[in-house]
Structures are given as structure tokens and as C-alpha cells.
Amino acid sequence: MSLIEVEHVSKAFRLINRTPNQGPAILSLLKRQYEWKKAVDDISFSIGSGELVGYIGANGAGKSTTIKMLAGILVPTEGLIRVQGKVPWKNRRENARKIGVVFGQRTQLYWNLPMEETFDLFRMIYKIDKRQYRKNFEFYIELLEMSSFLKTPVRQLSLGQRMRAEIVVALLHDPEIVYLDEPTIGLDVAVKAKIREFIRQVNQEKNTTFILTTHDMKDIDYICDRIITIDQGKLIFDGTLKQFKNRFTNGHQLVVKVGQPDISVSDPRLVLLQDQGLQKSFLFRKEEISIVEALALISKQTEIIDIEIKEPEIEDAVKQLYQHKSSDPLLVEINP
Ligand SMILES: Nc1ncnc2c1ncn2[C@@H]1O[C@H](COP(=O)(O)OP(=O)(O)OP(=O)(O)O)[C@@H](O)[C@H]1O
């Protein structure tokens, strides 16, 4: 059995249909008309223990709504969600013990308390064993380099310091699943890197499952092994990071420094992208031509002095993916 099972889940919100000039306000109250907005539309996936999943999509695609349903905060309109075999919204308390949640735009911290005391408060709320708490506390504080601001009231912390505290609070009780909604939003490059490294390390050390939504594709690139993509409420991709890049980019780049500038490689599997005289960049797909074969083709014409292989960029892949319509058959079958 998978840790998380999502079967044909939809979520619709009821919206008041406000049409202007409906007459007196009191009448519009009586004649209120509603319409339904499907935020999540018939999605299915399952996630196993210890997976690092990026849940991505454009603004308004349905990511937060999905996370809130997984966390038991929202009830699906249709379909079934099971987290460790239990329905999250029916077992909210029990579910809360197994999960950790970080919403980058909202805080779980107490504004006037020093961070250390906030952590202690969470220890009591979650009834965390003192030894387990101490061990986790020390591990997290060291990894996230937080010891210098433990006694500072939360309201005086910088955004980067506060976000690190939010993550620690969500992890103190050793949850098996952690939902991170935009955990690096607004942070500088150094703090982002620290948080990404931290997530990977906690995953390795404790086999914690992380489900991450983000608009920062570097988060996905560094942290996630698997990507699930949602567009207008529908699932449009589910596969590994590698599959994602292979499918939605033009491939790898081979940059070669050559002995003489006038060469012409006429193999269609090797596309000249940039010609700077003695340095040339080619695009190629690994499934079509191997690096060895590509280099052999070039070396027939000139001496090769240096080579560099560049991985496909995830940003390019996301751009391509978002250009597709949700009706396109993009879904990649995977065996989690
Ligand atoms: N409580 C609500 N009532 C009505 N509509 C809602 C509610 N919550 C979300 N929606 C709508 O559902 C759709 C999906 O919203 P959701 O917040 O899940 O998107 P998202 O992918 O997380 O977007 P973002 O990247 O901007 O955070 C949007 O059209 C949003 O306006």
C-alpha cells in the first residue's frame, strides 16, 4: 500500500455570481446566484514512503487546494484520499501527528516568543518525547545554522531566519510526510540553498516524504526526484525529473572546443546551436545519439580540444509544458 493514495479527486468551490446593477442590495441577497469553480478536477496519483515530489503548476492551477485536501484541511467534492490508509479530513487529529505543513505565506510561529520557546511550546502541543525533541532540535539547529538567533523574538527575525524556524517547527515531531508550500519564496540565494540541502538531508536521514509546491524551478531541480504537474485542476504530467527534462526540452548541449573553425556536421541528430569559431554548441538527445558517437562525428573533421556537456534546464522544460493544453496526452506512466 502506498503512503498517499489519491483516486479521482475533485474539489469545487461555490462562488457567488456577482452581476452588476442587480437592483437594491437587499434583493441581490435574496436572489443570490452561485456558480461552481472546479479547482481540482479528477486527479489520481499515489506516493510512496521517502519520495521527494515536486507538485508544480501555474498560478491558480490547483496546487494549494490539493495540498490542503491531503492535509485534511479541505474535504474533496469527489473521489478518495487516503494517507496511510486513512481519510485525512475524517481523522484530522491523527493525520496532524503524521504530517508537517509549511505554508510559505503564512506563519505557525508566535510573534512575541523567542524561537526557542516556540519550539518548546510545540513540543508540549505534540507531546514529543523529551529525548526525541532534543535530538531533533540539535540536528535541525545545526543543519540550518540557527543557533545565533534562537533567543530572538520571532517578530525580530529576518524572513530567511523565520522560514528556517517554520520548517523546524513542522518537523520537530518527526512527521512521516511534510507538505511544503512555497518554502523558499522571497529568500536570498544562500538561504534557499541551505533549505534545499536541509530537505535532502532530512529525507536521507529519516526517510521523510516531502511534497513540495514551488514556482522556483531550482527548488525542484535540487530537491525532487519526481514531478507531478497540474494545469487548470487536471493532472498533466507525472514522472521522474529526468523524464520531465527529456520530454520537455530540446535535449542536452554538447559544447566543444575544436582545432579549426570551418567544420560542417550534417547529422540531423546533432543540431548546431551556437557557432563561435573555435567553440561550438550542439543540441542532441541522448536517446538518439550517444556522446561518444557525437564526438566521433566531430573528430572526423577536426581535433577536439575540450568538451562540456550541459544538462537540460528545468525552466525550459516548464515553459514548454505550460504551453500545452490540458487535453494533450502528456501523462507519463511511472512505477513509483
Ligand atoms: N476558498 C476558495 N474559494 C473559491 N475559490 C478558491 C478557493 N481556494 C482556491 N480557489 C480557486 O481555485 C483555483 C485553484 O487555487 P489554488 O490556490 O489551489 O491554486 P495554486 O495552484 O495553489 O495557485 P498559486 O500558485 O497561485 O498559489 C483558483 O482559481 C482559486 O481562485
Side-chain angles (χ1 to χ4, degrees):
M1 184 183 65
S2 299
L3 188 65
I4 298 171
E5 287 166 286
V6 174
E7 288 170 18
H8 300 288
V9 166
S10 297
K11 176 72 192 175
F13 292 108
R14 198 172 74 157
L15 303 174
I16 300 167
N17 199 353
R18 292 184 199 280
T19 27
N21 302 326
Q22 271 185 329
I26 186 76
L27 274 185
S28 79
L29 266 180
L30 293 171
K31 292 198 296 187
R32 234 170 215 186
Q33 294 201 332
Y34 296 97
E35 62 175 295
W36 290 89
K37 157 90 198 163
K38 238 182 188 181
V40 168
D41 191 358
D42 192 18
I43 62 168
S44 300
F45 57 82
S46 61
I47 292 176
S49 192
E51 283 202 70
L52 293 165
V53 181
Y55 194 58
I56 64 171
N59 287 126
K63 303 179 294 290
S64 301
T65 306
T66 313
I67 300 292
K68 284 177 190 161
M69 288 192 283
L70 294 177
I73 300 166
L74 285 177
V75 182
T77 319
E78 285 167 74
L80 188 64
I81 297 179
R82 284 193 223 94
V83 176
Q84 280 189 328
K86 300 241 166 96
V87 177
W89 62 271
K90 285 187 183 163
N91 301 274
R92 282 190 69 165
R93 262 166 195 264
E94 205 183 322
N95 193 50
R97 294 196 181 282
K98 285 183 280 188
I99 66 167
V101 185
V102 175
F103 286 106
Q105 318 259 34
R106 239 166 293 152
T107 183
Q108 297 197 70
L109 306 174
Y110 295 89
W111 222 231
N112 291 315
L113 283 187
M115 234 171 59
E116 206 171 16
E117 285 180 38
T118 306
F119 292 163
D120 211 39
L121 203 63
F122 273 82
R123 178 184 65 76
M124 289 187 274
I125 293 172
Y126 280 103
K127 298 190 176 78
I128 307 168
D129 169 75
K130 270 198 173 162
R131 269 186 42 202
Q132 179 199 0
Y133 169 79
R134 207 63 230 167
K135 217 172 127 197
N136 281 347
F137 177 84
E138 277 160 19
F139 179 51
Y140 298 148
I141 297 306
E142 197 194 318
L143 275 185
L144 285 172
E145 296 170 24
M146 293 170 68
S147 49
S148 63
F149 51 92
L150 277 176
K151 299 202 185 310
T152 313
V154 168
R155 70 185 134 77
Q156 289 174 11
L157 296 179
S158 73
L159 182 62
Q161 291 169 333
R162 190 157 56 74
M163 191 51 77
R164 280 180 272 173
E166 299 280 0
I167 293 173
V168 171
V169 157
L171 289 171
L172 277 174
H173 60 296
D174 272 338
E176 280 162 66
I177 306 162
V178 179
Y179 303 111
L180 301 170
D181 196 352
E182 299 275 356
T184 63
I185 195 165
L187 306 183
D188 69 42
V189 182
V191 178
K192 278 183 189 216
K194 212 167 277 171
I195 290 177
R196 289 169 188 152
E197 181 59 31
F198 175 80
I199 294 168
R200 274 241 163 228
Q201 239 169 310
V202 173
N203 167 263
Q204 265 174 23
E205 199 80 16
K206 295 172 181 275
N207 200 39
T208 312
T209 305
F210 283 92
I211 298 165
L212 168 79
T213 77
T214 182
H215 290 285
D216 186 332
M217 289 308 134
K218 291 219 163 53
D219 285 347
I220 300 286
D221 219 358
Y222 286 113
I223 301 168
C224 303
D225 300 324
R226 175 177 168 193
I227 295 184
I228 299 178
T229 309
I230 185 169
D231 182 41
Q232 294 172 35
K234 285 192 185 296
L235 212 74
I236 59 167
F237 178 85
D238 184 354
T240 64
L241 181 64
K242 210 168 158 195
Q243 283 174 316
F244 186 78
K245 285 185 182 178
N246 281 344
R247 190 148 181 173
F248 300 112
T249 61
N250 296 322
H252 282 70
Q253 249 191 70
L254 170 63
V255 185
V256 280
K257 222 178 190 177
V258 287
Q260 59 119 337
D262 300 320
I263 60 165
S264 83
V265 180
S266 56
D267 194 299
R269 296 170 300 170
L270 211 51
V271 179
L272 185 65
L273 187 68
Q274 211 178 24
D275 193 343
Q276 295 171 303
L278 292 176
Q279 182 166 299
K280 303 184 193 297
S281 305
F282 296 92
L283 272 179
F284 72 102
R285 288 196 168 275
K286 275 185 167 174
E287 61 275 16
E288 288 175 3
I289 182 168
S290 71
I291 295 169
V292 177
E293 200 184 340
L295 289 173
L297 280 174
I298 300 167
S299 67
K300 269 189 198 158
Q301 307 221 356
T302 177
E303 176 195 8
I304 296 173
I305 296 162
D306 200 6
I307 66 159
E308 188 190 350
I309 314 286
K310 288 188 183 165
E311 286 281 317
E313 294 283 336
I314 190 164
E315 272 91 352
D316 295 342
V318 171
K319 255 187 246 154
Q320 281 212 28
L321 182 71
Y322 286 1
Q323 280 159 9
H324 281 259
K325 292 274 164 285
S326 44
S327 52
D328 286 353
L330 289 174
L331 221 68
V332 171
E333 291 298 326
I334 61 155
N335 303 306

